[in-house]
Amino acid sequence: MRFLPPSVYLLRHSSAWHTMRESLGQLKVVTGHRRSVSWLCRTACVKMQTCMVLSSWSTTHMRDVALAGRGGTQWFQLYIYKDRQLTQELVMRAENEGFKAIVLTVDTPVLGKRLADCRNQFCLPKHLTLANFSSPMQGSTLINAQEESGLQQYVSALICPNLSWASVDWLRSITNLPIVLKGILTAEDALEALNHDIQGILVSNHGARQLDGVLATVDALPEVVQAVAGRVEVYMDGGIRHGTDVLKALALGARAVFIGRPVLWGLAYKGSEGVEQVLKLLNEELKVAMTLSGCSDVSDITGNLVVHQSHVSGRHAARAHL
């Protein structure tokens, strides 16, 4: 199934708390303007003809983000909560607001041990809330961190720790939207995912913040692509900092890449204009990399453009031995 516009290869990733970096948060990422949401035609997503994934933990309401980005492609990121009714309500609201797919995070039944967050007792500033939840209790542990981080307490209290393939089937039973599984890293999981009526796989290791020592996504990507064999679209996130990184991912079989941290850097630098500059820079770098690689079109990008570092290191070691 192909449900991403054919010209889109660089996507804006979900990040929950832009408002901790920039005054208008997610709203300015989408609007691309310092004024109100009435400037709908000036949205960064529409300008760059790309897709944005909104975190369910956003501090800006999904309705406001949807209005600000009307006309662009927007997907909604989801966790499965212990409270299935709450989860279903989030999905239904995302459908009603015009989001085009559900991105289900499958690598966080529990939160990885983030020692820095625990030491700092990380929590949301008191003036921020999780805007997509009606009950204060659904976000209170994020604000009142005690022995651990507020995020650790929140996930332990509310997120379903028993996530399974049956959870994916349940999600499919309540929505007709395409489902993208975020957090797949192996061929085995990719093959199993095909048995559960999903439409996309996002090869992701959660920014390497969940499991220390986990495989880099660019190393996990080839086996997932090979296993899926074109039956669903495969995307990748993690480590995308230059246009050459995009080229490598596309050469290894990714349909598109997601970026997260560079968006935050753009926000910190110059608000929504900074985000546009980040996206433009990556696009320009990709075009240059394609030209210097002999590719006039994305369809010309193939796996023979890249080799693994171990291949090059092995050749150098052999020469040194001679």
Side-chain angles (χ1 to χ4, degrees):
M1 180 177 181
R2 301 291 181 264
F3 58 94
L4 194 64
S7 61
V8 174
Y9 300 97
L10 182 66
L11 312 179
R12 218 290 294 165
H13 212 337
S14 59
S15 255
W17 302 316
H18 293 78
T19 41
M20 295 181 68
R21 289 98 175 171
E22 211 284 336
S23 59
L24 291 184
Q26 282 94 350
L27 197 56
K28 291 187 68 174
V29 176
V30 180
T31 60
H33 202 279
R34 291 189 174 273
R35 299 186 185 180
S36 70
V37 294
S38 61
W39 288 77
L40 300 179
C41 295
R42 299 291 301 275
T43 67
C45 287
V46 174
K47 281 183 180 179
M48 298 305 298
Q49 297 183 325
T50 190
C51 171
M52 173 178 171
V53 181
L54 179 70
S55 171
S56 55
W57 294 347
S58 166
T59 52
T60 303
H61 197 283
M62 70 172 77
R63 180 183 303 110
D64 295 328
V65 176
L67 287 172
R70 195 70 74 192
T73 303
Q74 297 186 85
W75 298 352
F76 186 74
Q77 179 275 335
L78 180 75
Y79 293 98
I80 299 291
Y81 281 76
K82 294 176 182 178
D83 184 343
R84 289 297 178 92
Q85 183 176 353
L86 170 62
T87 309
Q88 185 168 356
E89 288 174 359
L90 285 171
V91 172
M92 293 176 62
R93 285 159 52 198
E95 287 184 355
N96 293 337
E97 297 299 343
F99 287 83
K100 301 303 183 183
I102 299 295
V103 180
L104 176 64
T105 297
V106 297
D107 62 3
T108 315
V110 296
L111 197 68
K113 198 68 173 179
R114 304 178 186 182
L115 296 178
D117 287 352
C118 292
R119 283 195 298 269
N120 298 326
Q121 291 190 317
F122 168 78
C123 59
L124 279 181
K126 294 185 184 297
H127 68 282
L128 297 179
T129 60
L130 302 186
N132 292 315
F133 299 88
S134 57
S135 169
M137 287 301 294
Q138 293 164 355
S140 60
T141 56
L142 273 171
I143 298 173
N144 302 309
Q146 297 176 9
E147 294 182 2
E148 298 180 322
S149 74
L151 182 59
Q152 185 86 44
Q153 293 173 189
Y154 180 87
V155 172
S156 297
L158 298 176
I159 300 302
C160 177
N162 303 314
L163 193 68
S164 67
W165 293 110
S167 307
V168 179
D169 294 335
W170 172 80
L171 178 60
R172 167 49 65 216
S173 73
I174 65 168
T175 182
N176 291 320
L177 288 178
I179 296 174
V180 177
L181 296 188
K182 175 181 179 289
I184 299 295
L185 288 172
T186 67
E188 292 82 1
D189 278 347
L191 285 171
E192 180 60 32
L194 297 178
N195 297 324
H196 297 273
D197 196 15
I198 57 96
Q199 285 66 50
I201 289 174
L202 174 50
V203 177
S204 173
N205 62 15
H206 217 111
R209 292 171 296 149
Q210 274 294 87
L211 179 62
D212 193 26
V214 71
L215 197 65
T217 52
V218 72
D219 290 325
L221 177 63
E223 71 170 76
V224 172
V225 169
Q226 184 177 6
V228 167
R231 284 170 284 185
V232 298
E233 294 187 337
V234 178
Y235 318 108
M236 190 199 85
D237 71 11
I240 302 297
R241 302 293 182 263
H242 303 283
T244 48
D245 298 324
V246 182
L247 179 67
K248 293 171 190 176
L250 297 181
L252 292 172
R255 168 64 180 81
V257 298
F258 286 82
I259 61 170
R261 292 176 190 175
V263 168
L264 304 182
W265 300 335
L267 275 173
Y269 164 61
K270 210 172 186 179
S272 58
E273 185 178 341
V275 176
E276 286 186 38
Q277 289 183 25
V278 166
L279 293 172
K280 287 178 180 178
L281 181 61
L282 286 169
N283 273 309
E284 290 166 0
E285 289 179 353
L286 173 60
K287 291 177 182 177
V288 171
M290 287 174 58
T291 300
L292 295 178
S293 300
C295 302
S296 59
D297 187 81
V298 171
S299 61
D300 297 329
I301 301 174
T302 58
N304 62 5
L305 290 179
V306 295
V307 295
H308 195 274
Q309 184 179 1
S310 59
H311 173 76
V312 179
S313 301
R315 293 180 63 181
H316 283 303
R319 289 177 180 176
H321 180 72
L322 292 174

